[in-house]
Amino acid sequence: MTFRNQSAEAILDIAAGNGVKAIEWGADVHLPPGALGRAQEISDRSAQLGIQERSYGSYFRAGVSDAEAEIAPLIETAAALGASHLRVWAGDTSGATASDKLWGDAARDLIAVADAAAGHGIAVSVEYHRGTLTETASDTIKLLTMADHSNLYSLWQPVPDRAPADWLTELSLLEPWLSHLHVFHWQPDTPRDQRRPLREGEADWQTLFAHWEQSPRWDGAKIAFLEFVADDREENFVDDMKVLNSLCSART
């Protein structure tokens, strides 16, 4: 979600110059499913620049997408990218309004994608996002419990209109399934949230990072992905990365 208007090569150059060690590549713009040659190009260039950790951010929606047709190309692309992680989504509505069928279909599809990814050493996490079955910690836990797969985890990101104390509670509840974080700072507003400099939310993120404990099942690198940058301006990215690198350094 950062620099969607720039090429993968340009992003890699910017990232490498600002201490980035991992990138989650979106399947909607920079790396469509099935583009195996492009995935290999990005993987090779990433390795040359010292960006070793790669994630594939898909838009596969468990319970909604055509699992039989879409899972294999996703896994093949993630493998060609050299990704250790695949992001998927859960449903297309919040848990409060979802049917029992959607819950069951989503759990079934998550099991299928987690199985397929496991064969390539790729972990799978559901996006933590409004308007999905994983909109709240309790609903995320419900779905992951229904799927009950050892290769299935949850990402986490802040919901801007919830209080920071609620964010901390969500992280704590999700700890047994927690993989990576999507880091950004938004100001709740109408009609849509506003991207703000990460520095303005640094104090909240310091608290969140302090409680970002190792998941009991997660044994790989835990990554904080900078997801949004104000106005998609490179100078804002540079400052946000200074803050993110400081937050990450404080954990080591």
Side-chain angles (χ1 to χ4, degrees), residues 16 21 67 70 74 77 81 83 89 97 101 103 121 150 158 162 178 180 194 200-201 211 220 224 248 252:
K21 301 299 182 186
E70 294 183 28
L74 284 179
T77 309
L81 179 63
W89 294 59
T97 59
K101 182 179 185 305
W103 281 104
S150 61
R162 295 177 191 161
L178 193 61
H180 308 308
Q194 294 183 355
E200 293 181 4
H211 288 79
C248 291
T252 60

Side-chain angles (χ1 to χ4, degrees), residues 136-170:
T136 66
S138 59
D139 280 345
T140 302
I141 292 168
K142 173 182 175 179
L143 182 60
L144 295 178
T145 301
M146 289 175 66
D148 190 23
H149 197 288
S150 61
N151 192 40
L152 190 58
Y153 303 88
S154 177
L155 293 157
W156 183 86
Q157 64 186 34
V159 176
D161 56 7
R162 295 177 191 161
D166 294 330
W167 299 343
L168 194 57
T169 298
E170 291 171 357

Side-chain angles (χ1 to χ4, degrees), residues 120-250:
H120 294 268
I122 300 170
V124 176
S125 296
V126 290
E127 178 82 340
Y128 190 79
H129 205 281
R130 288 176 288 190
T132 72
L133 296 178
T134 51
E135 181 176 280
T136 66
S138 59
D139 280 345
T140 302
I141 292 168
K142 173 182 175 179
L143 182 60
L144 295 178
T145 301
M146 289 175 66
D148 190 23
H149 197 288
S150 61
N151 192 40
L152 190 58
Y153 303 88
S154 177
L155 293 157
W156 183 86
Q157 64 186 34
V159 176
D161 56 7
R162 295 177 191 161
D166 294 330
W167 299 343
L168 194 57
T169 298
E170 291 171 357
L171 269 183
S172 298
L173 290 171
L174 290 171
E175 185 178 316
W177 297 271
L178 193 61
S179 57
H180 308 308
L181 301 185
H182 284 159
V183 177
F184 55 86
H185 182 59
W186 281 5
Q187 178 66 45
D189 203 356
T190 303
R192 61 184 301 173
D193 302 318
Q194 294 183 355
R195 298 184 185 188
R196 299 294 302 166
L198 184 59
R199 192 171 298 279
E200 293 181 4
E202 184 173 6
D204 289 333
W205 279 105
Q206 285 174 341
T207 301
L208 291 165
F209 267 59
H211 288 79
W212 184 23
E213 301 296 340
Q214 185 71 33
S215 166
R217 293 192 296 114
W218 187 265
D219 58 4
K222 267 192 139 178
I223 302 167
F225 292 106
L226 180 65
E227 188 169 13
F228 297 101
V229 172
D231 302 319
D232 282 325
R233 295 172 66 91
E234 186 174 339
E235 56 264 39
N236 293 336
F237 169 79
V238 170
D239 189 63
D240 282 359
M241 276 305 305
K242 289 178 181 177
V243 176
L244 185 60
N245 283 328
S246 176
L247 288 166
C248 291
S249 295

